[in-house]
Amino acid sequence: MKAVRNTRQKQVIAAAVAELDHPTASDVFRRARESVSDISLGTVYRVLSNMADGGLVRRVSFSYGEDIFDKTLKPHCHIRCRCCGRVRDVRLNDGPVWENMVSDAGDFTVESSHIEFTGVCGECRRLCE
């Protein structure tokens, strides 16, 4: 098994993910460059992918826009503003709807899910009024 080195670049990328709210790789790259000026976008993508593969972050793909990297690993959903692209966590209320969605899976084993809601955030709504 290959040893995984904990480089300065990996530390800076992990710190950026921890500090930012639902960052894209581009967001992490901009933040990481503040500490490591010669870091490449390719390095950021590679480290984020490794973090996602290792279960340290969750990669979330949306119907449009860049993937985000979510530090919250427990099951939850997301709401995305269709104007500015901001992403927030939202929880589904417990109840029969969620249970029915999963119970209809038959012999399929559900390993993960992603539910995306879209709308307009309060800030964008105020700008549009």
Side-chain angles (χ1 to χ4, degrees):
M1 178 183 243
K2 182 179 174 183
V4 178
R5 292 180 23 206
N6 189 18
T7 65
R8 170 90 173 119
Q9 291 178 331
K10 289 178 185 176
Q11 292 170 0
V12 167
I13 291 167
V17 171
E19 294 165 5
L20 298 169
D21 188 29
H22 298 95
T24 64
S26 298
D27 296 332
V28 173
F29 174 66
R30 282 189 293 278
R31 176 63 64 92
R33 285 197 57 155
E34 294 172 7
S35 300
V36 181
S37 62
D38 62 344
I39 196 168
S40 71
L41 183 57
T43 296
V44 171
Y45 274 110
R46 186 171 50 259
V47 171
L48 288 172
S49 290
N50 289 340
M51 289 175 69
D53 292 346
L56 300 173
V57 296
R58 183 172 150 198
R59 179 194 304 259
V60 180
S61 299
F62 289 96
S63 54
Y64 62 92
E66 286 185 74
D67 291 355
I68 62 163
F69 293 87
D70 196 345
K71 59 191 166 220
T72 304
L73 301 177
K74 66 183 179 183
H76 65 285
C77 303
H78 293 100
I79 189 162
R80 181 179 202 133
C81 178
R82 65 177 167 75
C83 297
C84 68
R86 187 172 128 203
V87 176
R88 282 190 17 217
D89 291 342
V90 291
R91 290 183 320 119
L92 287 179
N93 294 326
D94 294 331
V97 173
W98 183 253
E99 292 167 7
N100 289 337
M101 289 171 60
V102 176
S103 67
D104 292 340
D107 67 347
F108 189 86
T109 302
V110 177
E111 295 176 343
S112 68
S113 66
H114 174 76
I115 297 176
E116 172 189 348
F117 297 95
T118 56
V120 179
C121 71
E123 188 174 322
C124 288
R125 193 171 47 253
R126 281 190 296 276
L127 293 173
C128 296
E129 291 177 345

